[in-house]
Amino acid sequence: MATAFIFPGQGSQTVGMGKDLADAVPEARAVFEEVDEALGESLSKTIWEGPEEKLTLTANAQPALMAVSIAALRAMQSRGLLLEKSVSYVAGHSLGEYSALCAAGTFSLSDAARLLRIRGEAMQKAVPVGQGAMAAIIGFEQPDVEAICDEASAKGAVQIANDNGGGQLVISGSKDAVEKAAELAKDKGAKRALMLPVSAPFHSSLMEPAADRMRAALADVTMNAPTVPLIANVTVSPLTDPAEIADRLVEQVTGRVRWRETMEWFAANDVETLYEIGAGKVLSGLAKRIDRSLTTIPIGSLDDIEKALNALS
């Protein structure tokens, strides 16, 4: 049976994350130092000391979460982990795809940090504040939510942004259309339809300016073939060609994060164990709701790392 490393996305951040790893493992501390240097500021200070409102800003949260994931990975590697020998696939939720690609050697750490800073800023600037929105629809499956989005589209652009599985889908688009879709979902019997406290309509067609910015940014960095295949958010297929990976990363800015299907793909392709590398346990919780045959193990502390290395050896 195969193993996959998965990397969390925005929302998993907490002030103080990764500090114990940096204090205990020189290779982990070096990750935060390199990210600080790449960005020309002490992002690590924001990660470890806050304030939370500053860490939560998209332009900070994205490189911060990547840094914590790679710090955990480097701590594992310092204790003997060889990614290409222990892991069959990598995947990441939205920005976590960049963490996965950095882990697999497609991006250098410095380039991954700079790309995520650009991505965060571009996504924030793509739509004026107040014009976009996102909402979580609970208790419906993908076809139901697609039908609701179609009905609400008379009010503006609205689409599924994330299919997280277990009857949890997130929609994104223009504020009026998202509010209309949430209202329709409640009327049609959804368990809940919650407007989300986000500042931009991520993974919607309104993010096209950010996609253009990422196309240019990705063209300026060196990309290597990953040492293990990436299961891409937008295609749910294994990718190893750098040019195709770049295209899919651009597409991901405006496209759907197909996380439910990614977990189903793992289960159907003999992946038994998923290690969630970095902050939080969000992806582990989602995987359990999607397919209980998948064993999920969060890796965020030294204790987690020691247990995982024993299991992987």
Side-chain angles (χ1 to χ4, degrees), residues 94-108:
S94 191
L95 81 89
E97 205 155 70
Y98 287 79
S99 308
L101 289 165
C102 181
T106 296
F107 294 127
S108 71

Side-chain angles (χ1 to χ4, degrees), residues 18-26 28-29 32 68 71-72 75 299-302 305:
K19 183 69 163 60
D20 60 336
L21 293 176
D23 287 344
V25 183
R29 177 165 287 276
F32 293 101
V68 174
I299 306 294
S301 70
L302 285 173
I305 286 169

Side-chain angles (χ1 to χ4, degrees), residues 26-206:
E27 291 84 355
R29 177 165 287 276
V31 169
F32 293 101
E33 291 171 350
E34 185 174 339
V35 168
D36 286 350
E37 184 175 352
L39 298 179
E41 65 175 83
S42 183
L43 181 64
S44 59
K45 187 174 189 295
T46 301
I47 296 171
W48 296 332
E49 299 177 17
E52 185 177 355
E53 314 86 73
K54 186 176 180 183
L55 177 60
T56 303
L57 292 172
T58 301
N60 290 332
Q62 295 199 15
L65 283 161
M66 183 277 299
V68 174
S69 288
I70 301 304
L73 179 74
R74 295 279 170 86
M76 297 176 79
Q77 291 171 324
S78 75
R79 286 156 165 74
L81 174 77
L82 293 174
L83 186 75
E84 58 271 27
K85 289 192 175 180
S86 299
V87 178
S88 299
Y89 306 101
V90 294
H93 193 285
S94 191
L95 81 89
E97 205 155 70
Y98 287 79
S99 308
L101 289 165
C102 181
T106 296
F107 294 127
S108 71
L109 175 59
S110 293
D111 282 342
R114 285 189 287 262
L115 285 167
L116 285 170
R117 170 56 57 82
I118 292 167
R119 183 178 183 268
E121 290 177 344
M123 292 174 87
Q124 189 62 62
K125 293 175 182 175
V127 178
V129 173
Q131 291 189 15
M134 300 180 76
I137 309 299
I138 312 296
F140 277 176
E141 297 302 327
Q142 180 182 316
D144 305 311
V145 179
E146 284 180 339
I148 286 166
C149 288
D150 285 345
E151 190 173 344
S153 64
K155 295 277 189 178
V158 57
Q159 67 194 71
I160 296 173
N162 302 337
D163 182 353
N164 287 328
Q168 181 194 115
L169 292 102
V170 176
I171 60 173
S172 181
S174 69
K175 186 171 182 288
D176 289 349
V178 170
E179 288 176 343
K180 179 62 175 177
E183 179 187 317
L184 288 168
K186 290 176 185 174
D187 291 345
K188 292 176 186 293
K191 289 181 183 175
R192 300 181 80 185
L194 307 170
M195 299 301 292
L196 298 179
V198 297
S199 51
F202 304 129
H203 298 291
S204 78
S205 61
L206 301 181

